[in-house]
PDB file of all heavy atoms in Angstrom:
ATOM      1  N   LEU A  17     115.730  90.109 105.348  1.00  0.00           N
ATOM      2  CA  LEU A  17     117.160  89.805 105.588  1.00  0.00           C
ATOM      3  C   LEU A  17     117.160  89.235 107.070  1.00  0.00           C
ATOM      4  O   LEU A  17     116.387  89.767 107.956  1.00  0.00           O
ATOM      5  CB  LEU A  17     117.901  91.108 105.666  1.00  0.00           C
ATOM      6  CG  LEU A  17     117.955  91.981 104.340  1.00  0.00           C
ATOM      7  CD1 LEU A  17     118.518  93.425 104.717  1.00  0.00           C
ATOM      8  CD2 LEU A  17     118.705  91.257 103.303  1.00  0.00           C
ATOM      9  N   ILE A  18     118.034  88.304 107.379  1.00  0.00           N
ATOM     10  CA  ILE A  18     118.563  88.043 108.687  1.00  0.00           C
ATOM     11  C   ILE A  18     119.998  88.207 108.755  1.00  0.00           C
ATOM     12  O   ILE A  18     120.739  87.588 107.986  1.00  0.00           O
ATOM     13  CB  ILE A  18     118.037  86.628 109.000  1.00  0.00           C
ATOM     14  CG1 ILE A  18     116.463  86.488 108.751  1.00  0.00           C
ATOM     15  CG2 ILE A  18     118.346  86.298 110.482  1.00  0.00           C
ATOM     16  CD1 ILE A  18     116.036  85.088 109.002  1.00  0.00           C
ATOM     17  N   MET A  19     120.472  88.937 109.749  1.00  0.00           N
ATOM     18  CA  MET A  19     121.910  89.214 109.854  1.00  0.00           C
ATOM     19  C   MET A  19     122.261  88.632 111.307  1.00  0.00           C
ATOM     20  O   MET A  19     121.376  88.636 112.251  1.00  0.00           O
ATOM     21  CB  MET A  19     122.197  90.689 109.823  1.00  0.00           C
ATOM     22  CG  MET A  19     122.107  91.096 108.419  1.00  0.00           C
ATOM     23  SD  MET A  19     122.746  92.713 108.235  1.00  0.00           S
ATOM     24  CE  MET A  19     121.487  93.675 107.509  1.00  0.00           C
ATOM     25  N   ASP A  20     123.560  88.554 111.543  1.00  0.00           N
ATOM     26  CA  ASP A  20     124.051  88.181 112.816  1.00  0.00           C
ATOM     27  C   ASP A  20     124.524  89.498 113.500  1.00  0.00           C
ATOM     28  O   ASP A  20     124.419  90.649 113.019  1.00  0.00           O
ATOM     29  CB  ASP A  20     125.196  87.206 112.880  1.00  0.00           C
ATOM     30  CG  ASP A  20     126.439  87.688 112.198  1.00  0.00           C
ATOM     31  OD1 ASP A  20     126.546  88.909 111.973  1.00  0.00           O
ATOM     32  OD2 ASP A  20     127.380  86.926 112.003  1.00  0.00           O
ATOM     33  N   SER A  21     125.113  89.313 114.906  1.00  0.00           N
ATOM     34  CA  SER A  21     125.377  90.525 115.681  1.00  0.00           C
ATOM     35  C   SER A  21     126.520  91.262 115.015  1.00  0.00           C
ATOM     36  O   SER A  21     126.856  92.499 115.540  1.00  0.00           O
ATOM     37  CB  SER A  21     125.715  90.158 117.040  1.00  0.00           C
ATOM     38  OG  SER A  21     126.632  89.114 117.158  1.00  0.00           O
ATOM     39  N   ASP A  22     127.320  90.852 114.067  1.00  0.00           N
ATOM     40  CA  ASP A  22     128.353  91.598 113.378  1.00  0.00           C
ATOM     41  C   ASP A  22     127.830  92.256 112.148  1.00  0.00           C
ATOM     42  O   ASP A  22     128.641  92.748 111.340  1.00  0.00           O
ATOM     43  CB  ASP A  22     129.579  90.753 113.138  1.00  0.00           C
ATOM     44  CG  ASP A  22     130.218  90.184 114.442  1.00  0.00           C
ATOM     45  OD1 ASP A  22     130.233  91.095 115.438  1.00  0.00           O
ATOM     46  OD2 ASP A  22     130.455  88.985 114.494  1.00  0.00           O
ATOM     47  N   GLY A  23     126.564  92.079 111.763  1.00  0.00           N
ATOM     48  CA  GLY A  23     126.048  92.609 110.480  1.00  0.00           C
ATOM     49  C   GLY A  23     126.394  91.678 109.416  1.00  0.00           C
ATOM     50  O   GLY A  23     126.211  92.099 108.170  1.00  0.00           O
ATOM     51  N   ASN A  24     126.807  90.496 109.608  1.00  0.00           N
ATOM     52  CA  ASN A  24     126.949  89.495 108.559  1.00  0.00           C
ATOM     53  C   ASN A  24     125.578  88.992 107.988  1.00  0.00           C
ATOM     54  O   ASN A  24     124.764  88.579 108.767  1.00  0.00           O
ATOM     55  CB  ASN A  24     127.872  88.378 108.878  1.00  0.00           C
ATOM     56  CG  ASN A  24     129.187  88.717 109.228  1.00  0.00           C
ATOM     57  OD1 ASN A  24     129.772  89.681 108.509  1.00  0.00           O
ATOM     58  ND2 ASN A  24     129.805  88.251 110.412  1.00  0.00           N
ATOM     59  N   ARG A  25     125.584  88.797 106.799  1.00  0.00           N
ATOM     60  CA  ARG A  25     124.237  88.239 106.159  1.00  0.00           C
ATOM     61  C   ARG A  25     124.267  86.778 106.350  1.00  0.00           C
ATOM     62  O   ARG A  25     125.107  86.058 106.092  1.00  0.00           O
ATOM     63  CB  ARG A  25     124.340  88.542 104.671  1.00  0.00           C
ATOM     64  CG  ARG A  25     123.243  87.966 103.827  1.00  0.00           C
ATOM     65  CD  ARG A  25     123.495  87.757 102.450  1.00  0.00           C
ATOM     66  NE  ARG A  25     123.564  89.086 101.735  1.00  0.00           N
ATOM     67  CZ  ARG A  25     123.510  89.176 100.497  1.00  0.00           C
ATOM     68  NH1 ARG A  25     123.617  87.991  99.600  1.00  0.00           N
ATOM     69  NH2 ARG A  25     123.269  90.179  99.797  1.00  0.00           N
ATOM     70  N   LEU A  26     123.081  86.280 106.929  1.00  0.00           N
ATOM     71  CA  LEU A  26     122.901  84.976 107.165  1.00  0.00           C
ATOM     72  C   LEU A  26     121.898  84.507 106.123  1.00  0.00           C
ATOM     73  O   LEU A  26     122.013  83.459 105.426  1.00  0.00           O
ATOM     74  CB  LEU A  26     122.292  84.568 108.487  1.00  0.00           C
ATOM     75  CG  LEU A  26     123.162  85.085 109.608  1.00  0.00           C
ATOM     76  CD1 LEU A  26     122.626  84.749 111.000  1.00  0.00           C
ATOM     77  CD2 LEU A  26     124.541  84.355 109.577  1.00  0.00           C
ATOM     78  N   ILE A  27     120.716  85.374 105.925  1.00  0.00           N
ATOM     79  CA  ILE A  27     119.795  84.980 104.916  1.00  0.00           C
ATOM     80  C   ILE A  27     119.556  86.340 104.187  1.00  0.00           C
ATOM     81  O   ILE A  27     119.293  87.390 104.976  1.00  0.00           O
ATOM     82  CB  ILE A  27     118.489  84.531 105.546  1.00  0.00           C
ATOM     83  CG1 ILE A  27     118.596  83.207 106.151  1.00  0.00           C
ATOM     84  CG2 ILE A  27     117.407  84.435 104.321  1.00  0.00           C
ATOM     85  CD1 ILE A  27     118.283  81.978 105.400  1.00  0.00           C
ATOM     86  N   ALA A  28     119.477  86.335 102.943  1.00  0.00           N
ATOM     87  CA  ALA A  28     118.989  87.515 102.244  1.00  0.00           C
ATOM     88  C   ALA A  28     118.269  87.184 101.057  1.00  0.00           C
ATOM     89  O   ALA A  28     118.731  86.449 100.211  1.00  0.00           O
ATOM     90  CB  ALA A  28     120.099  88.465 101.893  1.00  0.00           C
ATOM     91  N   LYS A  29     117.064  87.731 100.992  1.00  0.00           N
ATOM     92  CA  LYS A  29     116.157  87.434  99.758  1.00  0.00           C
ATOM     93  C   LYS A  29     115.712  88.873  99.293  1.00  0.00           C
ATOM     94  O   LYS A  29     115.091  89.527  99.871  1.00  0.00           O
ATOM     95  CB  LYS A  29     114.898  86.650 100.127  1.00  0.00           C
ATOM     96  CG  LYS A  29     115.167  85.183 100.383  1.00  0.00           C
ATOM     97  CD  LYS A  29     115.636  84.353  99.239  1.00  0.00           C
ATOM     98  CE  LYS A  29     114.529  84.290  98.074  1.00  0.00           C
ATOM     99  NZ  LYS A  29     114.972  83.624  96.991  1.00  0.00           N
ATOM    100  N   TYR A  30     116.200  89.194  98.069  1.00  0.00           N
ATOM    101  CA  TYR A  30     115.898  90.381  97.453  1.00  0.00           C
ATOM    102  C   TYR A  30     114.726  90.061  96.199  1.00  0.00           C
ATOM    103  O   TYR A  30     114.936  89.041  95.555  1.00  0.00           O
ATOM    104  CB  TYR A  30     116.921  91.039  96.824  1.00  0.00           C
ATOM    105  CG  TYR A  30     117.882  91.772  97.845  1.00  0.00           C
ATOM    106  CD1 TYR A  30     118.888  90.917  98.426  1.00  0.00           C
ATOM    107  CD2 TYR A  30     117.686  93.038  98.185  1.00  0.00           C
ATOM    108  CE1 TYR A  30     119.539  91.580  99.405  1.00  0.00           C
ATOM    109  CE2 TYR A  30     118.495  93.612  99.250  1.00  0.00           C
ATOM    110  CZ  TYR A  30     119.434  92.903  99.898  1.00  0.00           C
ATOM    111  OH  TYR A  30     120.223  93.409 100.720  1.00  0.00           O
ATOM    112  N   TYR A  31     113.574  90.648  96.346  1.00  0.00           N
ATOM    113  CA  TYR A  31     112.453  90.314  95.391  1.00  0.00           C
ATOM    114  C   TYR A  31     112.477  91.088  94.121  1.00  0.00           C
ATOM    115  O   TYR A  31     111.656  90.869  93.251  1.00  0.00           O
ATOM    116  CB  TYR A  31     111.161  90.261  96.154  1.00  0.00           C
ATOM    117  CG  TYR A  31     111.349  89.179  97.272  1.00  0.00           C
ATOM    118  CD1 TYR A  31     111.342  89.522  98.608  1.00  0.00           C
ATOM    119  CD2 TYR A  31     111.318  87.765  96.990  1.00  0.00           C
ATOM    120  CE1 TYR A  31     111.378  88.727  99.519  1.00  0.00           C
ATOM    121  CE2 TYR A  31     111.282  86.930  97.986  1.00  0.00           C
ATOM    122  CZ  TYR A  31     111.397  87.329  99.346  1.00  0.00           C
ATOM    123  OH  TYR A  31     111.363  86.399 100.215  1.00  0.00           O
ATOM    124  N   ASP A  32     113.056  92.311  94.017  1.00  0.00           N
ATOM    125  CA  ASP A  32     113.064  93.110  92.876  1.00  0.00           C
ATOM    126  C   ASP A  32     114.474  93.631  92.619  1.00  0.00           C
ATOM    127  O   ASP A  32     115.341  93.362  93.240  1.00  0.00           O
ATOM    128  CB  ASP A  32     112.074  94.119  92.975  1.00  0.00           C
ATOM    129  CG  ASP A  32     112.269  95.139  94.095  1.00  0.00           C
ATOM    130  OD1 ASP A  32     113.376  95.129  94.583  1.00  0.00           O
ATOM    131  OD2 ASP A  32     111.453  96.104  94.239  1.00  0.00           O
ATOM    132  N   ASP A  33     114.550  94.469  91.554  1.00  0.00           N
ATOM    133  CA  ASP A  33     115.923  94.998  91.198  1.00  0.00           C
ATOM    134  C   ASP A  33     116.275  96.302  91.730  1.00  0.00           C
ATOM    135  O   ASP A  33     116.837  97.088  91.140  1.00  0.00           O
ATOM    136  CB  ASP A  33     116.074  94.943  89.740  1.00  0.00           C
ATOM    137  CG  ASP A  33     114.778  95.497  89.046  1.00  0.00           C
ATOM    138  OD1 ASP A  33     113.869  96.126  89.690  1.00  0.00           O
ATOM    139  OD2 ASP A  33     114.556  95.380  87.681  1.00  0.00           O
ATOM    140  N   THR A  34     115.764  96.628  93.065  1.00  0.00           N
ATOM    141  CA  THR A  34     116.274  97.822  93.600  1.00  0.00           C
ATOM    142  C   THR A  34     117.736  97.909  93.713  1.00  0.00           C
ATOM    143  O   THR A  34     118.261  98.884  93.522  1.00  0.00           O
ATOM    144  CB  THR A  34     115.566  97.952  94.979  1.00  0.00           C
ATOM    145  OG1 THR A  34     114.263  97.713  95.013  1.00  0.00           O
ATOM    146  CG2 THR A  34     115.810  99.312  95.782  1.00  0.00           C
ATOM    147  N   PHE A  35     118.309  96.691  94.175  1.00  0.00           N
ATOM    148  CA  PHE A  35     119.731  96.627  94.131  1.00  0.00           C
ATOM    149  C   PHE A  35     120.047  95.533  93.203  1.00  0.00           C
ATOM    150  O   PHE A  35     119.767  94.346  93.259  1.00  0.00           O
ATOM    151  CB  PHE A  35     120.235  96.204  95.605  1.00  0.00           C
ATOM    152  CG  PHE A  35     119.944  97.136  96.528  1.00  0.00           C
ATOM    153  CD1 PHE A  35     118.743  96.943  97.381  1.00  0.00           C
ATOM    154  CD2 PHE A  35     120.483  98.407  96.797  1.00  0.00           C
ATOM    155  CE1 PHE A  35     118.475  97.768  98.374  1.00  0.00           C
ATOM    156  CE2 PHE A  35     119.966  99.228  97.750  1.00  0.00           C
ATOM    157  CZ  PHE A  35     119.004  98.905  98.560  1.00  0.00           C
ATOM    158  N   THR A  36     120.846  95.890  92.169  1.00  0.00           N
ATOM    159  CA  THR A  36     121.018  94.986  91.062  1.00  0.00           C
ATOM    160  C   THR A  36     122.165  94.083  91.417  1.00  0.00           C
ATOM    161  O   THR A  36     122.244  92.901  91.094  1.00  0.00           O
ATOM    162  CB  THR A  36     121.202  95.646  89.746  1.00  0.00           C
ATOM    163  OG1 THR A  36     122.050  96.756  89.818  1.00  0.00           O
ATOM    164  CG2 THR A  36     119.923  96.083  89.123  1.00  0.00           C
TER     165      THR A  36
END
Side-chain angles (χ1 to χ4, degrees):
Chain A
L17 306 168
I18 303 176
M19 294 192 227
D20 69 7
S21 50
D22 298 318
N24 296 316
R25 172 199 284 192
L26 301 180
I27 297 262
K29 285 294 289 178
Y30 289 85
Y31 298 106
D32 65 5
D33 43 12
T34 311
F35 304 102
T36 42

